[in-house]
Amino acid sequence: GENVEQHPSTLSVQEGDSAVIKCTYSDSASNYFPWYKQELGKGPQLIIDIRSNVGEKKDQRIAVTLNKTAKHFSLHITETQPEDSAVYFCAALPTRGSNYKLTFGKGTLLTVNP
Amino acid sequence: DTGVSQDPRHKITKRGQNVTFRCDPISEHNRLYWYRQTLGQGPEFLTYFQNEAQLEKSRLLSDRFSAERPKGSFSTLEIQRTEQGDSAMYLCASSSWTGGVAAFGPGTRLTVT
């Protein structure tokens, strides 16, 4: 089955700096890679996603890059703000077999210091 | 847009008791999922429904766990004879037939004492 590794597990940045979170996956059949933000006591909320036919996607201060050859994808947050503080999860979804089952990384606790 | 809702949000129970959680997905979504999340971990897949049919159950779902989606709308997850190891956040999610974005509910936090 799919295995998703996520790094770092914790990340502390100053307000206004950039933050980068990296994930690797094992199943070459995976073709959809969402990122979720989870605040304390809440469920994960989708913030951005990318499909395997695209190398990069951007939405305002958030961007995701994908390298299918190396099987890794990254989340980039620019001009960080205190409200960006949360746990971020990457995930992967395969195209065949269980093509409905998201496999998540273990999460990154991002702290943005004012 | 009502989103995915779950009830209750918190449940404290004693070991050995049965508990039942409810999930109401986004109305036009025919796919429904249950995930479990323990402290410091990402969500782990438990089970998946397409309409009322339960199409996959994870090995994480022991025979003490049962999930239903009787009319293809809301779903229930029951845990019988709860154990302390069942303490976790139980998340429900739903998506359209295209199987794309899964919208998660706020979760039910279960504490077994």
Side-chain angles (χ1 to χ4, degrees):
Chain A
E2 175 67 279
N3 182 51
V4 176
E5 300 282 341
Q6 183 172 347
H7 299 279
S9 56
T10 61
L11 179 60
S12 181
V13 300
Q14 288 300 121
E15 183 177 358
D17 287 351
S18 295
V20 180
I21 303 170
K22 299 183 178 182
C23 289
T24 60
Y25 62 99
S26 61
D27 188 352
S28 57
S30 291
N31 75 334
Y32 174 67
F33 307 93
W35 286 87
Y36 291 87
K37 175 183 181 182
Q38 187 172 29
E39 297 173 326
L40 198 63
K42 297 184 179 180
Q45 298 297 311
L46 179 77
I47 56 172
I48 195 166
D49 57 12
I50 191 167
R51 296 190 184 271
S52 60
N53 58 344
V54 175
E56 183 174 357
K57 183 176 178 181
K58 190 173 182 180
D59 182 3
Q60 298 183 345
R61 297 186 296 110
I62 296 173
V64 57
T65 59
L66 171 65
N67 183 326
K68 281 221 60 156
T69 303
K71 294 183 190 169
H72 66 71
F73 56 113
S74 300
L75 176 72
H76 304 252
I77 306 174
T78 59
E79 301 171 23
T80 53
Q81 301 167 3
E83 51 265 39
D84 295 329
S85 296
V87 179
Y88 291 80
F89 292 97
C90 61
L93 187 71
T95 54
R96 53 178 182 261
S98 299
N99 61 351
Y100 43 80
K101 185 192 304 184
L102 284 168
T103 300
F104 285 82
K106 291 189 174 182
T108 296
L109 174 61
L110 173 65
T111 303
V112 180
N113 301 299
Chain B
D1 178 13
T2 56
V4 178
S5 61
Q6 292 186 246
D7 183 71
R9 294 292 308 279
H10 303 275
K11 179 71 177 179
I12 300 174
T13 191
K14 293 185 177 180
R15 185 164 50 94
Q17 297 294 304
N18 299 343
V19 294
T20 300
F21 310 141
R22 177 180 169 122
C23 170
D24 286 273
I26 292 173
S27 57
E28 60 266 30
H29 285 177
N30 70 331
R31 292 185 169 194
L32 186 146
Y33 318 82
W34 286 97
Y35 285 78
R36 181 170 68 187
Q37 185 177 25
T38 54
L39 201 61
Q41 302 293 318
E44 295 175 291
F45 173 84
L46 291 180
T47 191
Y48 157 62
F49 289 86
Q50 185 163 305
N51 298 312
E52 66 276 7
Q54 186 174 22
L55 298 186
E56 184 170 342
K57 290 175 61 173
S58 163
R59 279 173 285 184
L60 292 175
L61 224 59
S62 75
D63 56 7
R64 295 184 298 105
F65 288 72
S66 62
E68 294 183 341
R69 195 184 183 197
K71 297 182 180 179
S73 56
F74 73 92
S75 175
T76 58
L77 177 67
E78 180 183 16
I79 310 174
Q80 295 182 326
R81 305 180 303 281
T82 52
E83 301 173 356
Q84 287 189 320
D86 297 332
S87 295
M89 174 82 90
Y90 289 85
L91 294 163
C92 178
S94 68
S95 67
S96 65
W97 67 272
T98 58
V101 173
F104 281 87
T108 294
R109 180 165 293 286
L110 173 66
T111 302
V112 182
T113 62

